[in-house]
Amino acid sequence: MMVLVLSVLTAGLAAIVPMYFGCRKPGYSHIRHTISELAEAGSPVGRSVALYGFLPIGLLTWLSLWVAAQAAPHVSRETFFMLSLIGSGYVGGALFRSDPNAPMFGSLQNTLHNIFGSLEYAGAAGAFLSLERDAFWAPLSSVAKYAGFLILICFC
């Protein structure tokens, strides 16, 4: 039950943060801009997005996965490790805010932001694509496989 509560809280926060702060950043478009641009250096809402959005989402992701891992068979923990990279992406995004307009290349801080973001995408895609190899996760694998491919497409 605790896993469900933590997971819903995490997902809810991940949905609410961009909606709330996106409406408060002048010129921000939920269609044209990335969530990294909400927390970018110099953004009027950037520090708040990092501290009250990205950081709690990352920490809640880790906590959710840790609680879930305690109840799961030991053999399925590889998936939890890969999913923990999602939390790393959010925490990294909070600590290393992107340059304005979230460019692919830029300052050291921007580069670290992009590395953590890449780990987040790679971890999620890898976890979803590998579920069918584990008997514990196999029932979810048919749906998760498509989610993994979608994540890879969005990353490219």
Side-chain angles (χ1 to χ4, degrees):
M1 183 64 169
M2 179 61 101
V3 173
L4 179 62
V5 170
L6 287 169
S7 298
V8 168
L9 181 61
T10 304
L13 193 58
I16 291 169
V17 165
M19 288 188 291
Y20 176 80
F21 287 108
C23 293
R24 278 146 186 77
K25 182 178 178 192
Y28 182 82
S29 166
H30 290 91
I31 296 170
R32 291 189 322 268
H33 298 105
T34 66
I35 62 169
S36 293
E37 290 172 270
L38 284 175
E40 69 189 10
S43 168
V45 296
R47 184 173 303 241
S48 294
V49 171
L51 291 176
Y52 307 123
F54 291 177
L55 187 60
I57 292 167
L59 295 175
L60 281 169
T61 299
W62 285 339
L63 181 60
S64 303
L65 292 168
W66 182 79
V67 170
Q70 302 310 305
H74 181 68
V75 294
S76 61
R77 296 216 172 147
E78 175 184 301
T79 302
F80 288 112
F81 171 74
M82 286 189 280
L83 289 172
S84 75
L85 293 175
I86 297 170
S88 299
Y90 275 103
V91 171
L95 298 176
F96 306 106
R97 294 166 48 200
S98 71
D99 292 342
N101 301 316
M104 182 68 70
F105 302 101
S107 67
L108 175 61
Q109 180 169 305
N110 188 81
T111 301
L112 291 170
H113 177 90
N114 289 339
I115 288 170
F116 278 99
S118 296
L119 288 173
E120 178 177 0
Y121 278 95
F128 290 154
L129 291 172
S130 70
L131 291 182
E132 67 187 353
R133 294 183 302 144
D134 187 327
F136 180 77
W137 295 104
L140 296 174
S141 68
S142 60
V143 174
K145 185 184 326 180
Y146 296 110
F149 284 123
L150 181 62
I151 292 167
L152 286 176
I153 290 168
C154 290
F155 182 61
C156 297

